[in-house]
Amino acid sequence: MDLVPASQEPLHQSLKSVLGPATAKVMAEHLGLHTVGDLLHHYPRRYEERGQLTHLADLPMDEHVTVVAQVADARLHTFASSKAPRGKGQRLEVTITDGSGRLQLVFFGNGVHKPHKELLPGTRAMFSGKVSVFNRKLQLAHPAYELLRGDSEETVESWAGALIPLYPATAKLESWKLAKAIQTVLPAAQEAVDPLPGSLREGRGLVSLPEALLKIHRPHTQADVAAARARLKWDEAFVLQVALARRRHAETQLAAVPRRPRPDGLLTAFDDRLPFTLTEGQRKVSREIFDDLATDHPMHRLLQGEVGSGKTLVALRAMLAVVDAGGQAAMLAPTEVLAQQHHRSVVEMMGELAEGGMLGGTEHATKVVLLTGSMGTAARRRAMLDLATGEAGIVIGTHALIEDKVQFHDLGLVVVDEQHRFGVEQRDALRGKGKQPPHLLVMTATPIPRTVAMTVFGDLETSVLDQLPAGRSPIASHVVPAADKPHFLARAWERVREEVENGHQAYVVCPRIGDEEDAPRKGKGTPRDDGDRRPPLAVLDLADQLAKGPLSGLTVEVLHGRMHPDDKDAVMRRYAAGDTDVLVATTVIEVGVNVPNATAMVIMDADRFGVSQLHQLRGRVGRGSAPGLCLLVTEMPEASAARRRLDAVASTLDGFELSRIDLEQRREGDVLGQAQSGARTSLRVLAVIEDEEIIAEARQEAAALVAADPELTTLPGLRTALDALLDEEREQYLEKG
């Protein structure tokens, strides 16, 4: 098929001029598509083969679907309602079938006339709408539809391909309308400039970019689709890896102050007072960090560690090394609870070494200050003064540290805890506080598969702590099917009582707080509510029920994110001191909370949390010498995907294995996280788990290319693709610092 070359720069043309303002507005608002190029890169989600129908048997709940099916029968009912009291209300029920299953469509009121005329038994059409449940049956209410007649020239032309592309669509813009819009702009694909170097493309037998765009939108065979996807995956992997390689290259050009610890300074004094020896893993990772700190360009390192592998200790040793070398270190925590806790544990670990005066003043000691948004003015002013004069070598705080008013004497190292909670913008704002860019250490307790690390944290070198320190106890995890076996839940509360009787403590975790205005907040990665599910359990309701019921006689307290910071701190202190038996909390305890005497955790509505989140939560128990117990309570039926997810969590304590499962079961956008939108939104066909080989190869190719030609002078097509990738938000993500 001949494609007519469009005008100059056709891919940058705005959709408004090509498709008209109304359609362009919907595309921009609902799908983030603004130019012809954006629309050409909006790929089909899957393809329907002519004559082969979608499986109605596996429709996902509450999702927007497009199905191709045949009308089996249509019935018009009249009924009385408040709007039509004299029995004049009309309801059209249409049953469609595709051989695998049947689905009910329903239309009401004035909306019945057109479908009543058109949807006659035997008619085939594409239907699009949101799947809901009514009377325990799946249905589509008021679906949009397009008849597949094939009588008019246009329909024949648009369905000429052997495969019908189905696009990720929205309620405002059905798949077939998108398909028509793409047909309109498809000739412009001829003008697409190829970002891949010719040698790379030929060496791997990849089709050209115009050919790939044509084949993905108008394939004649599955082989066309495969060739197009193989090519487009390489584009995404390679362009992203080049952007990250350029960022790494640019960072090696920045100057930083090398920070080498004094041979017998603060770090040595600290190591001498540790009551245990470091694990081999901690020693190895510390060496990698100290080598980076000694160089004259900024360190950028990601420290991944299993829950409880001793990351905080490794980070503290790095901070002490920098203080030894005359600099200051800042540790950034995602919440106030966590900042206070880090501050407490650092001060405890350092003992009298945390009571110093001026930097390098007193023999081997420095000041450790806390800085959070809710501190009183006087305390805050004192902390800021200590930072500005250099009196405080270490500061621990929340994003309050980033505020313009906060000045450092000589910031040498920034440690960011739990990167997936923390945007790249914040990380860069803090780096701007040093006279020269400070060294950066990012810690995460969410194990990240290697390919995700290469994609999301591709600008960071990675260190992994995979050994647990001696003395950490195993955690037994069990799924408690509350609906199938209510006596299991009763037994769970008995187990909590037993742990408390043996001198231990327990956590009970709920998905929401319970004081919201009828708006249940859903945990990350949760399945959506359908009509038949009750709202998620709430901390305030459950704490009350437990204290009066199965846990009566025990001291039960609550902890959640909307409490006043002083109250939160007081609750945590009482719990840490052993004065509280059971803490009923939201996920505020997910990261960093360390109470070695807590041995049991009951997670209510566990199916409403993501896999990584459950693994994080579970890591709060078994931190002492007694074994931990984690009970995952759910009402989901045995055959459901949610139950399979919980069984996976119960079956292994290996965070890397779980993160793979998590990634395979969820859309990658959720896993890559909001803060990383740059990587996330540019991945349309690349799947970070199954395309591991492509990502690793693309990273090698990109590194070699950037080392040889950092400005990409010989590759105008690649520069264009980079500019497209780095729209404003992503430019900040990749180019700051």
Side-chain angles (χ1 to χ4, degrees):
M1 170 183 156
D2 283 341
L3 288 181
V4 189
S7 61
Q8 208 42 42
E9 292 300 327
L11 271 67
H12 295 151
Q13 234 178 325
S14 119
L15 289 173
K16 207 182 291 180
S17 60
V18 186
L19 303 173
T23 309
K25 183 169 188 254
V26 177
M27 287 195 176
E29 282 175 11
H30 293 274
L31 295 166
L33 307 174
H34 302 278
T35 65
V36 169
D38 291 345
L39 184 54
L40 285 173
H41 287 292
H42 186 72
Y43 309 131
R45 175 179 289 168
R46 58 192 174 82
Y47 301 86
E48 278 300 339
E49 294 192 18
R50 295 293 299 273
Q52 181 202 26
L53 299 168
T54 323
H55 290 301
L56 290 180
D58 14 282
L59 284 181
M61 259 313 297
D62 212 20
E63 271 195 27
H64 210 87
V65 299
T66 302
V67 297
V68 178
Q70 191 157 14
V71 177
D73 64 61
R75 287 181 306 281
L76 191 61
H77 302 273
T78 51
F79 59 92
S81 70
S82 56
K83 286 184 182 160
R86 287 197 297 280
K88 292 279 173 60
Q90 290 193 307
R91 179 173 82 248
L92 175 66
E93 288 178 2
V94 177
T95 307
I96 58 172
T97 176
D98 68 348
S100 77
R102 296 166 86 78
L103 180 67
Q104 182 98 23
L105 313 178
V106 52
F107 301 85
F108 291 103
N110 294 336
V112 304
H113 305 306
K114 185 167 176 272
H116 191 217
K117 282 209 300 278
E118 295 183 335
L119 297 179
L120 304 171
T123 309
R124 287 190 54 209
M126 292 173 90
F127 301 93
S128 178
K130 203 169 192 181
V131 184
S132 58
V133 167
F134 181 71
N135 280 344
R136 299 210 159 268
K137 281 222 216 56
L138 292 183
Q139 71 164 26
L140 295 182
H142 282 284
Y145 61 87
E146 171 93 339
L147 301 179
L148 295 180
R149 292 196 192 95
D151 49 1
S152 79
E153 215 21 63
E154 184 195 15
T155 344
V156 173
E157 171 62 18
S158 54
W159 305 117
L163 298 170
I164 301 171
L166 295 186
Y167 290 90
T170 72
K172 293 265 192 296
L173 202 63
E174 294 87 19
S175 172
W176 55 85
K177 288 188 182 158
L178 273 162
K180 282 181 180 163
I182 286 167
Q183 291 303 329
T184 308
V185 300
L186 203 51
Q190 288 295 58
E191 309 297 316
V193 187
D194 207 317
L196 293 187
S199 57
L200 188 155
R201 205 174 71 226
E202 283 142 30
R204 288 189 161 72
L206 300 169
V207 300
S208 72
L209 182 57
E211 191 181 338
L213 290 171
L214 197 56
K215 282 184 165 164
I216 202 148
H217 292 298
R218 295 202 77 167
H220 290 288
T221 61
Q222 290 293 352
D224 284 352
V225 177
R229 288 177 66 86
R231 161 63 216 241
L232 295 166
K233 281 181 179 199
W234 254 96
D235 276 17
E236 286 179 12
F238 185 69
V239 174
L240 183 61
Q241 291 301 337
V242 167
L244 292 165
R246 289 186 75 194
R247 178 165 178 167
R248 287 196 302 275
H249 181 267
E251 316 241 276
T252 60
Q253 310 304 304
L254 291 175
V257 181
R259 309 280 180 177
R260 295 184 185 83
R262 291 208 306 280
D264 53 357
L266 188 54
L267 180 61
T268 311
F270 175 76
D271 285 349
D272 289 346
R273 50 166 297 156
L274 278 178
F276 49 82
T277 55
L278 298 176
T279 65
E280 181 45 49
Q282 286 172 322
R283 280 204 292 275
K284 175 177 150 288
V285 169
S286 288
R287 278 197 299 276
E288 291 171 351
I289 292 171
F290 291 154
D291 288 348
D292 281 359
L293 288 173
T295 61
D296 54 9
H297 56 82
M299 162 171 87
H300 287 100
R301 194 165 277 283
L302 174 69
L303 173 57
Q304 291 190 57
E306 266 296 3
V307 178
S309 56
K311 292 182 301 298
T312 314
L313 177 63
V314 169
L316 177 55
R317 293 184 74 241
M319 296 200 292
L320 295 174
V322 168
V323 174
D324 260 349
Q328 287 168 296
M331 183 185 237
L332 219 51
T335 64
E336 298 213 345
V337 168
L338 204 53
Q340 286 159 340
Q341 188 150 342
H342 275 319
H343 182 254
R344 258 202 311 280
S345 64
V346 163
V347 169
E348 275 165 26
M349 277 158 82
M350 286 176 65
E352 70 273 10
L353 297 177
E355 294 161 11
M358 287 294 284
L359 277 184
T362 334
E363 180 68 357
H364 310 322
T366 187
K367 209 181 222 179
V368 179
V369 298
L370 176 70
L371 188 61
T372 63
S374 66
M375 279 166 66
T377 318
R380 203 178 150 80
R381 193 174 292 137
R382 200 162 52 247
M384 283 169 62
L385 189 65
D386 286 342
L387 287 179
T389 58
E391 181 113 355
I394 294 178
V395 57
I396 296 168
T398 52
H399 49 264
L401 278 176
I402 293 170
E403 286 181 13
D404 292 344
K405 299 199 236 1
V406 181
Q407 296 299 322
F408 288 86
H409 177 65
D410 179 12
L411 181 60
L413 169 68
V414 176
V415 178
V416 179
D417 188 15
E418 287 305 322
Q419 166 72 8
H420 63 281
R421 298 293 184 79
F422 210 83
V424 175
E425 289 79 13
Q426 288 108 312
R427 162 177 128 177
D428 288 323
L430 193 56
R431 274 162 46 182
K433 300 230 171 246
K435 294 190 176 72
Q436 283 185 302
H439 299 281
L440 175 72
L441 180 65
V442 174
M443 297 198 294
T444 176
T446 307
I448 302 169
R450 193 172 76 99
T451 45
V452 181
M454 284 195 292
T455 309
V456 183
F457 299 108
D459 58 325
L460 302 173
E461 299 299 325
T462 306
S463 294
V464 179
L465 272 177
D466 45 14
Q467 257 178 309
L468 289 189
R472 282 299 297 268
S473 304
I475 304 168
S477 306
H478 303 285
V479 177
V480 177
D484 314 347
K485 301 182 175 158
H487 58 287
F488 276 37
L489 183 57
R491 175 73 188 114
W493 300 127
E494 283 170 25
R495 283 291 287 114
V496 169
R497 293 194 83 97
E498 286 163 17
E499 290 298 312
V500 173
E501 279 157 19
N502 291 332
H504 298 302
Q505 291 158 278
Y507 296 100
V508 177
V509 182
C510 296
R512 67 187 181 107
I513 297 171
D515 57 359
E516 301 90 341
E517 272 72 81
D518 304 325
R521 209 167 48 89
K522 304 190 182 96
K524 289 178 295 194
T526 57
R528 300 174 183 82
D529 284 308
D530 60 45
D532 296 348
R533 281 182 87 189
R534 58 164 173 72
L537 288 172
V539 167
L540 300 173
D541 307 339
L542 189 69
D544 202 39
Q545 290 164 22
L546 291 175
K548 290 178 181 152
L551 302 184
S552 61
L554 306 185
T555 50
V556 177
E557 287 212 66
V558 300
L559 180 71
H560 59 77
R562 283 217 282 276
M563 288 164 62
H564 187 278
D566 292 350
D567 297 341
K568 278 193 267 196
D569 200 39
V571 168
M572 270 319 298
R573 278 178 192 277
R574 286 196 293 275
Y575 189 66
D579 301 340
T580 305
D581 299 323
V582 179
L583 188 60
V584 183
T586 55
T587 53
V588 290
I589 60 157
E590 179 185 349
V591 284
V593 170
N594 184 25
V595 179
N597 191 43
T599 53
M601 176 177 283
V602 181
I603 302 178
M604 306 303 290
D605 284 339
D607 49 275
R608 294 178 190 258
F609 298 98
V611 170
S612 298
Q613 205 173 17
L614 290 168
H615 182 58
Q616 282 285 358
L617 286 164
R618 166 171 70 182
R620 302 301 115 214
V621 296
R623 299 176 78 88
S625 52
L629 171 69
C630 177
L631 301 175
L632 305 166
V633 180
T634 178
E635 292 183 354
M636 294 306 270
E638 199 164 349
S640 62
R643 268 290 276 285
R644 285 199 296 278
R645 212 168 61 223
L646 296 180
D647 291 337
V649 174
S651 68
T652 178
L653 288 172
D654 179 342
F656 284 93
E657 177 55 30
L658 284 174
S659 67
R660 275 191 92 90
I661 293 169
D662 198 12
L663 202 49
E664 281 159 10
Q665 291 193 344
R666 289 163 58 188
R667 288 198 320 286
E668 295 174 351
D670 303 344
V671 182
L672 302 187
Q674 293 307 311
Q676 305 303 341
S677 48
R680 190 192 72 223
T681 44
S682 65
L683 301 188
R684 295 190 181 92
V685 285
L686 191 72
V688 280
I689 283 285
E690 58 205 54
D691 297 326
E692 183 162 349
E693 259 172 59
I694 295 180
I695 293 170
E697 286 178 33
R699 184 179 165 110
Q700 277 181 326
E701 293 269 8
L705 178 73
V706 170
D709 178 10
E711 292 308 307
L712 311 178
T713 41
T714 56
L715 295 163
L718 180 54
R719 295 192 64 128
T720 310
L722 273 178
D723 294 341
L725 170 74
L726 309 178
D727 63 20
E728 285 169 43
E729 176 185 28
R730 296 174 229 172
E731 191 148 18
Q732 292 171 346
Y733 162 65
L734 289 163
E735 298 239 313
K736 266 197 186 159

